[in-house]
Amino acid sequence: RYSCAAAAVRERAPAATERSRRRRGSYRRRRIFYSAASFSPQAAADQTMVVIHVKFQGGEDEFLYETTGDASNDALIRELVDVNNTRVRIAYLCGALRDLAAHGPTKPQGEEGLDHIQETMAGNFVEKADNYKEDPHGNRTGNGVGEQMTSVFEDVCNDGELYISKAQAKARKALTMAGLEDKLTNMKGAVTMAYPMGLPKWDPVYAALEGPEGLDGTQAAQGLLDPATAQLWCAGKEFVREELVKDRVGRNEKTKVVAKLQKPGHGAPAREPCVSENERKAMMAHYFKRQEEMKKLAEADDDDYLHSPWADTKALKNSLQGMSGGMKAPGIR
């Protein structure tokens, strides 16, 4: 009986071994496939990026930008300058579009002036459309775009201001040139809807939409940088254009650094403070309160502490007997 059972086991053993071998082969193939799909170089490159937290002198503005360690410093600086200049254009256009919606296009050079004065004093004809609203500065025609298009302009401006605000950096959202160009495209589309025939070439909105050169002569032009001469500093050292990003921040792709982008000739920027502005205010309030308490203690008499509750020698007895508002002994009411 035992020999027959052993023979049956020997007969089934090759088939079981073959099935086990097939299962192991299938498992290995699936593991190799999923490993190749999950850890491909492209997927790893997309997930690991060097984050540059760009700040400016004074700490009034900042944004995040993602790059790779193999990128050159020259390409990184040029990309950061493009992002900065586009942000400056969007910020300028948000204010210019609101003025355009309220008071219409800009008057030609030499025709500026308040409309009611030109009508009464100079006798000039002033064209007034249905949406006319006189410009208090006298620089625009006063013929706005109407309530419906004003709402469109306001939505476009709010969307652009939200994308370039400091809140994006605090929310850990990096900016991209594609996103910035999308906001500019929305602004161009809104202007085209309101003025199908186009704006006059002397209008600041038209000039700013054409490129950064349209900001020449404006206050916003001070925030523009030259991609060929701009400097990027991190931890007191400059990003040398001939080197790579990993030569400055290390080979770890999961790195975040705080850098300052500035014009040439200013030297190394000041280092970041160890504490934030809110922490500094809280510390100053705490030390001021502590200083006032120390002044009161210095002015008090030597025996003044005897009037404190903690200096009462009968405090425990009074609390047990219920003579005070403190702890009461069990059974005493």
Side-chain angles (χ1 to χ4, degrees):
R1 186 168 62 251
Y2 292 110
S3 61
C4 293
V9 170
R10 285 195 299 269
E11 290 177 358
R12 291 196 299 268
T17 303
E18 182 64 23
R19 288 195 298 270
S20 177
R21 186 182 300 109
R22 290 178 181 177
R23 285 196 296 268
R24 288 197 301 268
S26 176
Y27 170 74
R28 289 195 186 97
R29 287 193 297 271
R30 290 197 302 269
R31 185 175 61 180
I32 293 174
F33 172 77
Y34 287 121
S35 298
S38 303
F39 302 100
S40 62
Q42 182 64 29
D46 294 341
Q47 296 176 1
T48 57
M49 301 289 288
V50 177
V51 179
I52 309 294
H53 191 167
V54 181
K55 293 187 176 182
F56 300 88
Q57 293 290 354
E60 300 178 355
D61 201 5
E62 57 185 295
F63 65 89
L64 298 181
Y65 188 78
E66 293 181 347
T67 185
T68 60
D70 295 329
S72 66
N73 291 339
D74 181 69
L76 172 62
I77 294 174
R78 292 180 181 274
E79 293 172 0
L80 293 178
V81 170
D82 290 341
V83 171
N84 172 75
N85 293 349
T86 307
R87 292 176 71 250
V88 172
R89 288 174 58 196
I90 292 176
Y92 175 80
L93 281 168
C94 289
L97 284 175
R98 291 189 174 99
D99 293 340
L100 177 64
H103 303 291
T106 305
K107 296 179 181 179
Q109 186 176 4
E111 298 183 8
E112 298 88 350
L114 298 177
D115 292 344
H116 68 277
I117 294 180
Q118 291 185 356
E119 284 182 325
T120 57
M121 303 297 294
N124 297 333
F125 172 75
V126 177
E127 181 182 357
K128 297 181 180 180
D130 297 337
N131 302 317
Y132 176 79
K133 182 180 179 181
E134 184 179 359
D135 183 12
H137 302 287
N139 296 325
R140 295 182 177 272
T141 61
N143 297 318
V145 297
E147 295 183 1
Q148 184 177 0
M149 288 306 304
T150 299
S151 177
V152 175
F153 277 32
E154 188 65 26
D155 293 341
V156 170
C157 293
N158 291 337
D159 185 31
E161 288 177 339
L162 179 62
Y163 189 75
I164 65 174
S165 65
K166 296 172 58 176
Q168 295 291 97
K170 295 180 180 180
R172 301 180 180 180
K173 294 182 179 179
L175 300 186
T176 61
M177 279 302 302
L180 294 172
E181 292 293 342
D182 181 61
K183 306 307 175 185
L184 287 176
T185 302
N186 294 340
M187 292 181 176
K188 292 180 181 179
V191 172
T192 303
M193 291 171 59
Y195 298 94
M197 302 302 295
L199 289 172
K201 294 184 178 181
W202 57 79
D203 192 89
V205 174
Y206 174 86
L209 288 175
E210 290 297 315
E213 298 79 9
L215 302 182
D216 294 343
T218 64
Q219 185 71 19
Q222 298 181 2
L224 298 178
L225 299 174
D226 186 5
T229 60
Q231 295 178 346
L232 185 66
W233 292 77
C234 176
K237 294 184 180 180
E238 183 182 1
F239 278 73
V240 182
R241 289 179 178 265
E242 291 75 16
E243 298 179 353
L244 301 179
V245 174
K246 62 183 179 183
D247 297 333
R248 183 66 191 85
V249 302
R251 298 182 179 275
N252 185 10
E253 292 286 346
K254 298 181 180 180
T255 303
K256 179 182 178 181
V257 297
V258 178
K260 295 282 184 75
L261 188 64
Q262 64 182 19
K263 296 180 180 180
H266 294 281
R271 291 181 178 270
E272 287 291 307
C274 299
V275 295
S276 64
E277 184 65 19
N278 295 333
E279 292 175 344
R280 186 184 67 84
K281 291 180 180 179
M283 292 171 60
M284 291 181 62
H286 170 75
Y287 288 122
F288 178 77
K289 182 179 179 181
R290 179 63 177 170
Q291 184 180 8
E292 293 298 321
E293 292 177 354
M294 296 302 295
K295 286 182 180 180
K296 292 180 180 180
L297 291 176
E299 295 173 358
D301 297 333
D302 294 340
D303 297 337
D304 186 61
Y305 70 93
L306 296 177
H307 301 288
S308 301
W310 57 267
D312 187 5
T313 57
K314 298 181 180 180
L316 178 60
K317 177 182 177 181
N318 293 336
S319 63
L320 293 175
Q321 294 179 352
M323 303 296 294
S324 62
M327 179 181 62
K328 295 182 180 180
I332 300 178
R333 297 292 181 267

